[in-house]
């Protein structure tokens, strides 16, 4: 079913792209400036500009918070940001190559980033795009010269993979409209929910909040890709803080994520959770201090997720397998067992939801223009592969759609939706008994 859906999406994408993309002023400005800059800068210097990409983020944001029965803050805004990825040299060696030896401490993923006008004026948009391109190109030339110098005076690298891989051109236009927000309804709801903390003197700070973000990403590159894709991120939550008698800080919080405000839990459900958190805080504030413990441990929910993220996820990022600044924990472990045989792990950013729970790691294309899909990382305890961006490593020459970036930084391999499954499921009660 997933394969058929993907095939239909690819079949329909060209028509949808042609119809919807034509009237988009931001896409038009990015396309025009990229074509002009790539052509003029390609052979402007002895070291060629062989790749140029722009990624723009068009964001709408609404935020609301309340404390002790009163609205504390409300904000709303629109912002556009633009990143430029200019690559000088060749696929084998370019300006993104990491310095080795003593110079390795100066390695950075920082790259040029600008704000863009939020209006449709083509001249205003193109002027800022050109300005950023000029800065990014000059920075790339400078870095490439330093990379070549560093490479000439340091030892030969074990992993001789190049710095960049090719990817097929993609054209897709899947812009997402911002969800409707009943502001008055949420103001009243937040006032009522935040007031539930007010009678409790032992709670010295608390907050209930709502954030709604609509983000549409625009990616164009010199390979011919033009991708517009969007997501809505809605988050509702609360937090409460207290201290023990000797000053130790304690907190309880809860977060509810959705893709539309209408899909958030009811006020009654949140109120029940708040009351439970208040009771837990009261009990914790007067509980005796724990003594040091060494022994078996059960990790649940968020704690388990963070454990896999930090202990496994980061160490399976492809670019780390050839970086001098990383431990390369699993670089030589492909095909070998790294965990119990009943555990399998894969990452699938193309999943918009898991059951009724929307997944914030969902995306259709990564930040390098590669389609998202399921990637097997561990099967029956055996390491099968890595999260790959377009930075190749030994035996893994291509991206699997995990090139991610924060604005102002170059793309690196990152998780999307990490799913851990077990073929040996044990009820929670039995685990506690063990």
């Amino acid at each position: 079913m997933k394969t058929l859906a993907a095939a239909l999406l690819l079949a329909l994408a060209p028509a949808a792209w042609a119809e919807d993309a034509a009237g988009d002023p931001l896409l038009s400005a990015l396309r025009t400036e990229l074509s002009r800059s790539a052509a003029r800068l390609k052979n402007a210097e002895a070291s060629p500009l062989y790749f140029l990409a722009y990624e723009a983020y068009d964001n709408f944001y609404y935020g609301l918070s309340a404390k002790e029965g009163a609205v504390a803050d409300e904000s709303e805004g629109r912002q556009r940001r633009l990143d430029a990825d200019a690559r000088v040299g060749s696929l084998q060696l370019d300006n993104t190559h990491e310095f080795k030896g003593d110079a390795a401490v100066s390695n950075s993923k920082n790259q040029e980033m600008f704000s863009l006008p939020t209006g449709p004026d083509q001249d205003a948009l193109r002027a800022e795009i050109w300005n950023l391109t000029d800065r990014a190109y000059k920075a790339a030339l400078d870095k490439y010269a330093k990379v070549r110098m560093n490479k000439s005076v340091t030892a030969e690298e074990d992993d001789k993979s190049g710095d960049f891989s090719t990817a097929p051109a993609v054209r897709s236009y899947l812009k997402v409209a911002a969800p409707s927000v009943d502001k008055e309804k949420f103001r009243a709801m937040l006032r009522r929910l935040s007031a539930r903390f007010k009678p409790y003197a032992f709670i010295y700070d608390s907050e209930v909040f709502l954030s709604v973000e609509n983000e549409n990403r625009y990616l164009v590159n010199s390979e011919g890709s033009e991708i517009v894709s969007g997501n809505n991120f809605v988050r509702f939550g609360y937090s409460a803080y207290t201290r023990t008698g000797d000053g130790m800080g304690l907190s309880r919080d809860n977060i509810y994520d959705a893709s539309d405000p209408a899909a958030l839990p009811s006020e009654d459900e949140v109120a029940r959770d708040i009351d439970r958190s208040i009771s837990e805080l009261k009990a914790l504030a007067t509980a005796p201090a724990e003594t040091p413990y060494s022994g078996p441990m059960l990790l649940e929910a968020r704690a388990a997720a963070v454990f896999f993220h930090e202990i496994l996820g980061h160490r399976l990022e492809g670019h780390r397998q050839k970086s001098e600044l990383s431990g390369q924990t699993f670089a030589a472990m492909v095909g070998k067992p790294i965990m119990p045989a009943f555990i399998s792990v894969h990452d699938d950013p193309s999943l918009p939801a898991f059951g009724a729970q929307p997944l914030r790691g969902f995306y259709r294309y990564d930040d390098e223009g590669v389609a998202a899909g399921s990637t097997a990382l561990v099967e029956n305890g055996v390491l099968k592969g890595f999260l790959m961006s377009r930075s190749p490593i030994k035996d893994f020459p291509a991206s699997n759609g995990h090139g991610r970036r924060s604005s102002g930084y170059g793309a690196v391999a990152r998780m999307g939706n990490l799913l851990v499954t077990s073929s040996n499921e044990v009820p929670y009660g039995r685990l506690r008994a063990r």
Side-chain angles (χ1 to χ4, degrees), residues 271-327:
R272 288 193 294 271
D273 289 343
I274 287 176
D275 290 345
R276 183 174 63 251
S277 293
I278 291 171
S279 297
E280 291 173 352
L281 268 183
K282 185 176 182 180
L284 283 170
T286 56
E290 283 288 353
T291 56
Y293 165 80
S294 176
M297 163 187 223
L298 293 179
L299 296 180
E300 300 180 63
R302 295 183 196 174
V306 172
F307 178 85
F308 273 94
H309 176 93
E310 298 295 344
I311 300 301
L312 182 69
H314 283 309
R315 286 158 180 76
L316 293 185
E317 293 164 355
H319 64 282
R320 294 184 186 273
Q321 313 312 313
K322 61 179 182 181
S323 172
E324 283 193 2
L325 299 179
S326 296

Side-chain angles (χ1 to χ4, degrees), residues 33-54 84-90 94-95 133 136-138 140-141 144 222:
E33 197 56 34
L34 182 128
S35 177
R36 189 191 69 82
S37 295
R40 293 192 178 188
L41 297 177
K42 182 177 181 180
N43 296 308
E45 299 288 341
S47 301
L49 176 78
Y50 79 93
F51 178 83
L52 179 63
Y54 300 134
D85 184 4
R87 291 178 177 259
V88 169
S90 67
D94 67 25
N95 51 287
T133 306
Y137 176 60
K138 289 174 179 175
L141 285 171
Y144 183 59
S222 53

Side-chain angles (χ1 to χ4, degrees), residues 38 52 88 135 149 152 184-185 227 294 301 307 404:
L52 179 63
V88 169
R135 289 180 55 170
M149 175 67 73
S152 70
E184 189 51 49
K185 169 192 168 183
I227 301 169
S294 176
F307 178 85
R404 314 289 303 282

Side-chain angles (χ1 to χ4, degrees), residues 181-237:
V181 182
D182 187 339
K183 297 175 185 177
E184 189 51 49
K185 169 192 168 183
F186 280 104
R187 290 187 196 109
M189 183 187 299
L190 265 65
R191 283 194 293 263
R192 289 190 295 268
L193 288 172
S194 64
R196 300 185 82 86
F197 295 104
K198 195 171 182 177
Y200 302 97
F202 69 90
I203 296 178
Y204 68 82
D205 193 16
S206 61
E207 181 183 39
V208 181
F209 64 87
L210 168 73
S211 68
V212 179
E213 182 181 8
N214 166 253
E215 179 182 78
N216 283 291
R217 294 186 300 129
Y218 291 69
L219 175 68
V220 299
N221 65 33
S222 53
E223 295 169 327
S225 287
E226 294 186 2
I227 301 169
V228 180
S229 60
N231 281 44
N232 288 321
F233 303 106
V234 178
R235 174 163 285 183
F236 190 88

Side-chain angles (χ1 to χ4, degrees), residues 146-161:
K146 293 176 180 176
V147 163
R148 293 179 64 186
M149 175 67 73
N150 177 259
K151 196 168 177 63
S152 70
V153 297
T154 53
E156 187 176 12
E157 296 160 355
D158 293 331
D159 189 335
K160 298 177 176 59
S161 302

